[in-house]
Amino acid sequence: GFFQSHAVEVVIKDSSNATCLYANWMMSFLITYESNSSDYKTTTLNLSSSVTHNGSVCGNDTQAAVVAVQFGEGHSWSINSTKTNETYQGDFITFTYNTNDTAVFPDAKRKGPVTVVVRDPSPPVQLDSVYVCHNSVFIEAENVTQIFWNVTEQAFVQNGTVSKKESRCSADTPTSAPTVLPTVANVTTVATTTLSPAPTTAPKPVENPVTGNYSLKMGNKTCLLATVGLQLNVSQDKPLLININPKTTIADGACGNTTATLKLNDANSTLISF
């Protein structure tokens, strides 16, 4: 689906009113749950426009810094970060979703809060740097896929001022686009092309989309294969038809014990997740 979520900004200050922790990001969640009919459904949980950040703390040499947010009908998310003499790094991400939220889980068999804890895969960041990641990052654990993008975060802010020195995530590192149609090998290139402007009238039929071959690997073993041609019909502000071009599309995702997620992302950040 097209993920629509609200941006979150958390600014924590110490006893002297100096900024000690800053975070601004967007996130969304794909959650697979068991329904009353005993089949499994996947739903999307987005952040609401009203978010609190109770439990967020600055941290110090002996205590972890914590970014914690609460949203919707009993959902919460947090990450704790620790520091060394020269770096800081996220340790664990804790996500709790509440299946009593009937708007998101209308027919959930299991009722109540469910907590998922996963280790943060981000590398250490220098204390004088702010961590930035514009592209989407996926973390999958226990039937939940967490998606993060447009992330700007600095724990243990020095001298009360968020650094202008950036430490970029690997997903933001551009590479060259392939010149041939992708094979079943994992597609990891980033496109540099742009989409045509939206028409002002109803979209006219376009040619059939080119069929692409996409795959995911766990280690050196392929765990998911997809051969598919995709066309999107977007009808929000202006109608627009988009053919997904395999030559300019990133294939990523993860294979779990009971679920597999394939996400296709182009240079304009059109995101589709299966």
Side-chain angles (χ1 to χ4, degrees):
F2 287 87
F3 299 118
Q4 298 181 355
S5 188
H6 293 270
V8 185
E9 184 176 53
V10 175
V11 181
I12 304 299
K13 298 189 177 183
D14 60 20
S15 56
S16 62
N17 203 36
T19 299
C20 58
L21 185 153
Y22 177 82
N24 189 313
W25 76 103
M26 299 185 76
M27 63 181 173
S28 185
F29 306 91
L30 292 176
I31 304 169
T32 300
Y33 68 98
E34 187 177 5
S35 70
N36 288 323
S37 57
S38 295
D39 60 346
Y40 285 85
K41 298 182 178 180
T42 299
T43 187
T44 301
L45 174 62
N46 294 319
L47 266 69
S48 61
S49 58
S50 177
V51 178
T52 58
H53 53 82
N54 300 323
S56 298
V57 296
C58 293
N60 51 42
D61 290 342
T62 58
Q63 180 184 9
V66 179
V67 176
V69 294
Q70 303 82 38
F71 59 97
E73 300 296 325
H75 313 297
S76 63
W77 182 91
S78 67
I79 181 172
N80 65 310
S81 302
T82 55
K83 74 169 182 174
T84 65
N85 292 332
E86 299 179 351
T87 65
Y88 64 92
Q89 184 174 18
D91 287 332
F92 292 99
I93 295 172
T94 303
F95 170 52
T96 298
Y97 60 94
N98 186 7
T99 57
N100 287 323
D101 185 351
T102 56
V104 182
F105 308 96
D107 56 350
K109 185 174 183 178
R110 174 183 178 181
K111 298 294 185 180
V114 181
T115 298
V116 176
V117 180
V118 61
R119 185 174 291 277
D120 180 13
S122 304
V125 180
Q126 293 295 316
L127 283 175
D128 61 348
S129 298
V130 58
Y131 176 76
V132 176
C133 192
H134 294 307
N135 282 287
S136 301
V137 174
F138 283 54
I139 301 176
E140 183 178 6
E142 300 181 34
N143 295 332
V144 175
T145 301
Q146 304 184 46
I147 307 132
F148 307 92
W149 68 101
N150 289 345
V151 177
T152 302
E153 187 262 343
Q154 185 175 6
F156 308 102
V157 175
Q158 308 291 293
N159 303 318
T161 302
V162 177
S163 177
K164 296 186 180 301
K165 181 181 177 182
E166 295 183 353
S167 175
R168 285 297 189 101
C169 64
S170 58
D172 282 359
T173 304
T175 59
S176 300
T179 56
V180 296
L181 189 70
T183 65
V184 293
N186 206 19
V187 181
T188 57
T189 54
V190 175
T192 57
T193 59
T194 57
L195 295 177
S196 301
T200 57
T201 59
K204 297 180 180 179
V206 297
E207 68 278 1
N208 290 331
V210 175
T211 299
N213 298 297
Y214 310 99
S215 71
L216 300 178
K217 290 178 180 281
M218 292 185 65
N220 57 6
K221 292 185 177 181
T222 299
C223 60
L224 185 151
L225 290 171
T227 300
V228 61
L230 289 169
Q231 183 181 94
L232 310 181
N233 188 332
V234 184
S235 301
Q236 291 183 334
D237 297 330
K238 296 180 180 180
L240 176 64
L241 287 179
I242 305 170
N243 277 348
I244 299 299
N245 183 356
K247 292 184 180 180
T248 60
T249 300
I250 307 165
D252 201 354
C255 297
N257 291 330
T258 58
T259 61
T261 301
L262 172 69
K263 63 106 173 179
L264 303 178
N265 194 10
D266 73 8
N268 278 351
S269 297
T270 298
L271 178 63
I272 309 171
S273 184
F274 301 95

